[in-house]
Amino acid sequence: YESCKTSSEHQNNTFYIRQKVVNSSGLLVASYDKIHLCDYGDCRETRFFTPGRDVSSGSFDCQGWKLGLIVCADIRYPLLCRQVVLNDYIQEDSLPPSSVLDTCQVILQPACFSRDLSFRTWKSFRETRAVENAVYFVGTNYAGSYYGESSVIPPWVDENHEPLIWNTESGVFEAVLEKDALLWAREQMPYYRFLIQDRFYPKSNRFL
Protein backbone atom coordinates (compact mmCIF):
# COMPACT_ATOMS: atom_id res chain seq x y z
CA TYR A 1 0.00 0.00 0.00
CA GLU A 2 1.14 3.53 -0.68
CA SER A 3 -0.27 6.73 0.72
CA CYS A 4 -0.05 9.27 -2.08
CA LYS A 5 1.13 12.78 -1.34
CA THR A 6 -1.57 15.06 -0.05
CA SER A 7 -2.52 17.40 -2.87
CA SER A 8 -5.22 19.79 -3.95
CA GLU A 9 -7.74 18.39 -6.40
CA HIS A 10 -10.13 20.27 -8.62
CA GLN A 11 -13.67 18.97 -8.88
CA ASN A 12 -16.70 20.82 -10.23
CA ASN A 13 -14.93 24.19 -9.89
CA THR A 14 -14.12 23.37 -6.26
CA PHE A 15 -10.73 22.57 -4.76
CA TYR A 16 -10.17 20.02 -1.99
CA ILE A 17 -7.12 18.96 -0.02
CA ARG A 18 -7.27 15.25 -0.79
CA GLN A 19 -5.35 12.22 0.47
CA LYS A 20 -5.44 9.01 -1.59
CA VAL A 21 -4.25 5.49 -0.83
CA VAL A 22 -3.51 2.88 -3.51
CA ASN A 23 -2.72 -0.78 -2.96
CA SER A 24 0.07 -2.89 -4.43
CA SER A 25 -2.00 -3.45 -7.59
CA GLY A 26 -2.37 0.28 -8.14
CA LEU A 27 -6.05 0.29 -7.16
CA LEU A 28 -7.51 3.17 -5.19
CA VAL A 29 -8.65 1.93 -1.75
CA ALA A 30 -9.26 5.22 0.07
CA SER A 31 -9.74 8.88 -0.77
CA TYR A 32 -10.30 11.47 1.95
CA ASP A 33 -10.92 15.22 1.68
CA LYS A 34 -9.66 17.30 4.59
CA ILE A 35 -12.61 18.42 6.69
CA HIS A 36 -11.10 21.03 9.03
CA LEU A 37 -9.25 23.66 7.04
CA CYS A 38 -6.51 25.71 8.70
CA ASP A 39 -6.49 29.52 8.87
CA TYR A 40 -3.87 30.30 11.51
CA GLY A 41 -0.09 30.39 11.66
CA ASP A 42 1.34 29.92 8.17
CA CYS A 43 -1.96 28.61 6.74
CA ARG A 44 -4.71 30.38 4.78
CA GLU A 45 -6.52 27.37 3.37
CA THR A 46 -10.09 28.68 3.30
CA ARG A 47 -9.06 31.24 0.67
CA PHE A 48 -8.66 28.44 -1.85
CA PHE A 49 -10.17 25.18 -0.61
CA THR A 50 -13.53 23.69 0.34
CA PRO A 51 -13.81 21.40 3.39
CA GLY A 52 -14.62 17.75 2.85
CA ARG A 53 -17.70 16.09 4.33
CA ASP A 54 -17.20 12.33 4.38
CA VAL A 55 -15.19 10.63 7.15
CA SER A 56 -15.89 7.09 5.96
CA SER A 57 -14.15 7.54 2.60
CA GLY A 58 -10.78 7.48 4.38
CA SER A 59 -11.10 4.01 5.91
CA PHE A 60 -9.24 0.99 4.52
CA ASP A 61 -7.66 -2.34 5.51
CA CYS A 62 -3.97 -3.14 5.12
CA GLN A 63 -2.41 -6.50 5.95
CA GLY A 64 -4.78 -7.25 8.80
CA TRP A 65 -4.91 -3.70 10.17
CA LYS A 66 -7.81 -1.24 10.01
CA LEU A 67 -6.71 2.30 9.18
CA GLY A 68 -8.41 5.65 8.93
CA LEU A 69 -7.24 8.92 7.38
CA ILE A 70 -7.23 12.47 8.65
CA VAL A 71 -5.18 15.36 7.24
CA CYS A 72 -3.03 17.87 9.11
CA ALA A 73 -5.21 20.24 11.20
CA ASP A 74 -8.01 17.62 11.46
CA ILE A 75 -6.03 16.35 14.47
CA ARG A 76 -7.21 19.28 16.57
CA TYR A 77 -10.84 18.11 16.55
CA PRO A 78 -11.38 15.11 18.86
CA LEU A 79 -14.87 14.24 17.64
CA LEU A 80 -13.57 13.76 14.11
CA CYS A 81 -10.95 11.26 15.29
CA ARG A 82 -13.64 9.50 17.30
CA GLN A 83 -15.74 9.18 14.16
CA VAL A 84 -12.75 7.78 12.27
CA VAL A 85 -12.27 5.10 14.94
CA LEU A 86 -15.98 4.20 15.01
CA ASN A 87 -16.47 4.59 11.27
CA ASP A 88 -18.26 1.25 10.72
CA TYR A 89 -20.48 1.86 13.75
CA ILE A 90 -21.66 5.46 13.49
CA GLN A 91 -24.97 4.68 11.78
CA GLU A 92 -28.03 4.94 14.00
CA ASP A 93 -28.94 1.26 13.60
CA SER A 94 -25.40 -0.09 14.06
CA LEU A 95 -24.80 -2.85 16.55
CA PRO A 96 -21.83 -2.62 18.96
CA PRO A 97 -18.58 -4.16 17.70
CA SER A 98 -18.23 -7.80 18.69
CA SER A 99 -14.50 -7.44 19.38
CA VAL A 100 -12.31 -4.63 20.69
CA LEU A 101 -10.25 -5.03 17.51
CA ASP A 102 -13.20 -4.51 15.14
CA THR A 103 -12.85 -0.73 15.00
CA CYS A 104 -10.13 1.40 13.40
CA GLN A 105 -6.72 0.56 14.87
CA VAL A 106 -4.43 3.13 13.22
CA ILE A 107 -5.07 6.79 12.45
CA LEU A 108 -2.83 7.98 9.62
CA GLN A 109 -2.23 11.73 9.47
CA PRO A 110 -0.25 13.18 6.55
CA ALA A 111 0.58 16.76 7.37
CA CYS A 112 2.50 19.87 6.47
CA PHE A 113 3.16 21.19 9.96
CA SER A 114 5.53 24.12 9.71
CA ARG A 115 7.28 25.40 12.80
CA ASP A 116 4.81 28.22 13.32
CA LEU A 117 2.74 28.90 16.44
CA SER A 118 0.87 25.59 16.05
CA PHE A 119 3.87 23.26 15.80
CA ARG A 120 4.50 22.72 19.51
CA THR A 121 0.96 21.50 20.21
CA TRP A 122 1.14 18.96 17.38
CA LYS A 123 3.03 16.65 19.74
CA SER A 124 0.43 17.04 22.48
CA PHE A 125 -2.47 16.37 20.14
CA ARG A 126 -0.84 13.28 18.60
CA GLU A 127 -0.39 11.64 21.99
CA THR A 128 -3.85 12.65 23.17
CA ARG A 129 -5.63 11.29 20.07
CA ALA A 130 -3.73 8.00 20.35
CA VAL A 131 -4.50 7.47 24.04
CA GLU A 132 -8.11 8.67 24.14
CA ASN A 133 -9.03 6.40 21.20
CA ALA A 134 -6.63 3.53 22.03
CA VAL A 135 -5.13 3.56 18.54
CA TYR A 136 -1.72 3.84 16.96
CA PHE A 137 -1.31 7.34 15.61
CA VAL A 138 1.03 7.80 12.65
CA GLY A 139 1.79 11.43 11.88
CA THR A 140 3.92 12.19 8.83
CA ASN A 141 5.35 15.59 8.01
CA TYR A 142 7.44 17.27 5.35
CA ALA A 143 11.19 16.98 5.79
CA GLY A 144 13.44 19.99 6.26
CA SER A 145 14.53 22.26 9.08
CA TYR A 146 11.19 24.11 9.10
CA TYR A 147 9.12 20.91 9.35
CA GLY A 148 10.12 17.40 10.49
CA GLU A 149 9.32 15.22 13.51
CA SER A 150 7.19 12.57 11.82
CA SER A 151 6.13 10.12 14.49
CA VAL A 152 4.43 6.88 15.52
CA ILE A 153 2.49 7.09 18.77
CA PRO A 154 1.48 3.88 20.59
CA PRO A 155 -2.06 3.40 21.93
CA TRP A 156 -0.77 4.01 25.45
CA VAL A 157 1.99 6.46 26.32
CA ASP A 158 4.14 6.42 29.46
CA GLU A 159 7.80 6.12 30.44
CA ASN A 160 7.88 2.55 29.10
CA HIS A 161 5.88 3.24 25.94
CA GLU A 162 7.34 6.33 24.36
CA PRO A 163 6.47 7.68 20.89
CA LEU A 164 8.94 7.26 18.05
CA ILE A 165 9.81 10.72 16.74
CA TRP A 166 12.17 11.31 13.84
CA ASN A 167 14.28 14.32 13.02
CA THR A 168 13.96 16.74 10.11
CA GLU A 169 15.75 14.64 7.48
CA SER A 170 14.00 12.92 4.56
CA GLY A 171 14.09 9.14 4.38
CA VAL A 172 12.23 5.89 4.97
CA PHE A 173 11.49 5.06 8.58
CA GLU A 174 10.27 1.80 10.07
CA ALA A 175 8.19 1.10 13.15
CA VAL A 176 6.65 -2.06 14.58
CA LEU A 177 2.93 -2.01 15.40
CA GLU A 178 1.78 -4.75 17.76
CA LYS A 179 -1.76 -6.03 18.13
CA ASP A 180 -0.98 -7.10 21.72
CA ALA A 181 -0.21 -3.50 22.67
CA LEU A 182 -3.46 -2.36 21.06
CA LEU A 183 -5.41 -5.10 22.84
CA TRP A 184 -3.87 -4.19 26.20
CA ALA A 185 -4.78 -0.52 25.84
CA ARG A 186 -8.35 -1.31 24.88
CA GLU A 187 -8.97 -3.91 27.56
CA GLN A 188 -6.95 -2.59 30.50
CA MET A 189 -7.40 1.17 30.22
CA PRO A 190 -10.85 2.83 30.39
CA TYR A 191 -10.83 5.14 27.39
CA TYR A 192 -11.84 2.72 24.66
CA ARG A 193 -14.58 1.25 26.85
CA PHE A 194 -15.98 4.73 27.41
CA LEU A 195 -15.76 5.41 23.68
CA ILE A 196 -17.98 2.40 22.96
CA GLN A 197 -20.23 3.07 25.93
CA ASP A 198 -20.84 6.68 24.95
CA ARG A 199 -21.76 5.61 21.41
CA PHE A 200 -24.07 2.70 22.21
CA TYR A 201 -25.16 3.20 25.81
CA PRO A 202 -25.36 6.98 26.31
CA LYS A 203 -27.95 6.74 29.11
CA SER A 204 -25.92 4.40 31.31
CA ASN A 205 -24.79 5.64 34.72
CA ARG A 206 -21.11 4.88 34.34
CA PHE A 207 -20.10 7.97 36.31
CA LEU A 208 -22.04 6.94 39.42
Side-chain angles (χ1 to χ4, degrees), residues 28-175:
L28 182 68
V29 296
S31 178
Y32 169 76
D33 295 337
K34 183 179 182 181
I35 291 176
H36 295 288
L37 301 180
C38 178
D39 265 342
Y40 45 82
D42 290 343
C43 295
R44 295 295 182 270
E45 292 177 350
T46 58
R47 293 174 57 189
F48 308 103
F49 301 108
T50 297
R53 302 176 62 117
D54 185 9
V55 173
S56 63
S57 63
S59 297
F60 64 101
D61 293 342
C62 179
Q63 298 184 11
W65 289 83
K66 297 178 181 294
L67 293 86
L69 292 173
I70 63 173
V71 172
C72 207
D74 282 333
I75 192 178
R76 300 182 183 277
Y77 301 88
L79 292 182
L80 175 63
C81 291
R82 174 173 287 201
Q83 282 189 287
V84 170
V85 173
L86 295 176
N87 176 55
D88 294 333
Y89 301 92
I90 58 177
Q91 300 302 320
E92 193 68 31
D93 58 351
S94 297
L95 297 174
S98 58
S99 166
V100 295
L101 295 180
D102 280 351
T103 56
C104 174
Q105 301 156 350
V106 182
I107 294 179
L108 177 61
Q109 180 216 22
C112 179
F113 264 105
S114 62
R115 293 180 181 266
D116 61 6
L117 57 84
S118 70
F119 188 82
R120 174 61 183 84
T121 54
W122 183 33
K123 177 181 178 182
S124 304
F125 280 115
R126 290 180 304 199
E127 295 185 7
T128 301
R129 298 296 166 260
V131 170
E132 70 185 2
N133 292 293
V135 294
Y136 279 98
F137 192 99
V138 180
T140 62
N141 198 15
Y142 280 34
S145 60
Y146 196 55
Y147 301 95
E149 296 193 16
S150 294
S151 63
V152 176
I153 315 296
W156 180 254
V157 177
D158 60 23
E159 293 78 4
N160 298 314
H161 305 85
E162 293 284 2
L164 298 176
I165 301 177
W166 289 282
N167 53 31
T168 59
E169 296 178 0
S170 61
V172 177
F173 306 104
E174 294 184 0

Side-chain angles (χ1 to χ4, degrees), residues 7-18 33-34 37 45-53:
S7 61
S8 60
E9 294 221 356
H10 180 233
Q11 181 176 320
N12 298 326
N13 295 318
T14 304
F15 290 90
Y16 299 92
I17 299 175
R18 180 168 295 171
D33 295 337
K34 183 179 182 181
L37 301 180
E45 292 177 350
T46 58
R47 293 174 57 189
F48 308 103
F49 301 108
T50 297
R53 302 176 62 117

